[in-house]
Amino acid sequence: MEQVVIIGSGPAGYTAAIYAARAGYEPLVIAGSVTAGGNLINTTEVENYPGFPEGVMGPELMERMATQAQRFGARVLFDDVNQVALRGPVKTVRTLGGEVFETAVVIAATGASYRELGLESEKRLGGRGVSYCATCDGFFFRDKEIIVVGGGDSAMEEAVFLTKFASKITVVHRRGELRASRIMAERALAHPKIAFAWHSVVSQVHGESTVTGVTLRDIRDNTERQIDVAGVFVAIGHAPNSELFRDQLELDSNGYVIVHGPPSPDEPGLARHQATSLPGVFACGDVVDRTYRQAITAAGSGAQAALDAQEYLEGMAADAALAAATI
């Protein structure tokens, strides 16, 4: 029987593994078969993670975290979890590969996935001009005109990165100003290759075998115009990967796992912030965070989840010792 099973990886999962491993619990990290490392695997240079003054590539940062966790005794399994039973003192975790693990503690670090526009033409042309990852697909659009949909930091990062390849990038945003942080917005607004289509949404993606253009709708007066582009990069946010826990953990209206925790027995006013609605189940990272969604905040919540799990396991051990002494 395992003591700690961490479902997911990324900054949250790997940091939880580092803390749990250093505490001696030899956690098992079920990192995902193709999503190990989370969304940072598809990120280029990370400039705002402490300790890397010159920046660090997203995949390198995730590899370092995984290596650090394994150094202290964590084990990493590259498989996907397809079923969990979380009620009761012993939890069961099943993988697509057919393995079944019993554990006292589960830490959910399943992250979030890219949101889609919701268009039939978007799905039909996915991988054929419609993309959600500039670092994965930017090379294929060298000297071509493309659009980036979104107005946050992710969209601006995508747009600036794509200037290395595309001849022109049009940022399509439904508002009249960007939601991105000041530094990211200034970079995009100042770049000569980047133009903006304000108050606009994509109502249709055109093309048969590949993208040839899009129809943009002005949300103020519903007028439409068509522009010729070879690629559509969608960067409009994320949806929490919480479907695995839908019938067992308390979720909010947007599907994020709710964490709150009971008051600490030593300090009644102090809550264990990464505890979920079920004892012995903790959650961290983007699957609980609908506000910040940064690598550093995910890592911080991963540390908190592991510390909360440690307190829970120590409490179980103390209860078992007391019961044995009573007998």
Side-chain angles (χ1 to χ4, degrees), residues 9 30-39 41-42 77-81 96 136:
S9 47
I30 306 179
S33 58
V34 296
T35 59
N39 291 330
I41 288 296
N42 298 320
L77 174 65
F78 296 103
D79 200 349
D80 297 302
V81 175
L96 283 174
C136 305

Side-chain angles (χ1 to χ4, degrees), residues 81-289:
V81 175
N82 65 347
Q83 187 178 356
V84 293
L86 302 177
R87 294 182 175 88
V90 178
K91 295 86 168 66
T92 302
V93 178
R94 298 175 183 271
T95 73
L96 283 174
E99 296 189 74
V100 180
F101 301 97
E102 291 185 337
T103 180
V105 163
V106 167
I107 297 178
T110 47
S113 298
Y114 302 110
R115 289 191 183 277
E116 300 178 353
L117 298 174
L119 303 173
E120 181 281 329
S121 53
E122 171 194 15
K123 287 187 175 295
R124 179 171 54 83
L125 291 167
R128 294 185 289 172
V130 175
S131 174
Y132 306 88
C133 176
T135 57
C136 305
D137 302 324
F139 175 81
F140 300 107
F141 296 90
R142 188 176 296 277
D143 299 324
K144 297 180 180 180
E145 294 191 14
I146 59 177
I147 67 168
V148 172
V149 185
D153 276 350
S154 295
M156 296 309 101
E157 181 180 356
E158 298 265 284
V160 171
F161 174 79
L162 288 166
T163 59
K164 299 178 182 179
F165 307 103
S167 58
K168 178 182 178 182
I169 298 99
T170 300
V171 173
V172 179
H173 187 37
R174 63 184 304 113
R175 301 182 183 182
E177 59 182 7
L178 297 173
R179 295 183 294 105
S181 61
R182 180 178 176 180
I183 187 170
M184 292 304 299
E186 288 177 348
R187 286 180 185 177
L189 290 166
H191 203 288
K193 281 190 176 182
I194 300 177
F196 292 84
W198 303 109
H199 303 290
S200 298
V201 296
V202 177
S203 59
Q204 189 67 261
V205 182
H206 303 290
E208 293 300 323
S209 58
T210 60
V211 170
T212 58
V214 295
T215 295
L216 301 183
R217 178 173 61 86
D218 191 309
I219 63 174
R220 296 168 296 184
D221 56 15
N222 286 325
T223 57
E224 293 187 332
R225 63 187 176 100
Q226 184 173 333
I227 61 174
D228 296 332
V229 294
V232 177
F233 286 82
V234 182
I236 56 174
H238 302 82
N241 298 326
S242 60
E243 188 64 31
L244 186 66
F245 315 112
R246 183 162 296 280
D247 297 327
Q248 300 185 60
L249 298 180
E250 185 180 0
L251 310 179
D252 70 12
S253 58
N254 292 303
Y256 289 89
V257 177
I258 295 176
V259 289
H260 36 64
S264 167
D266 300 323
E267 299 181 60
L270 179 64
R272 310 304 298 185
H273 294 293
Q274 305 308 133
T276 69
S277 54
L278 290 179
V281 182
F282 306 88
C284 54
D286 285 3
V287 76
V288 307
D289 182 8

Side-chain angles (χ1 to χ4, degrees), residues 8-52:
S9 47
Y14 283 143
T15 302
I18 291 168
Y19 272 73
R22 289 191 74 247
Y25 292 112
E26 298 181 342
L28 172 66
V29 181
I30 306 179
S33 58
V34 296
T35 59
N39 291 330
L40 280 188
I41 288 296
N42 298 320
T43 302
T44 52
E45 193 169 24
V46 180
E47 295 181 315
N48 55 4
Y49 199 88
F52 296 92

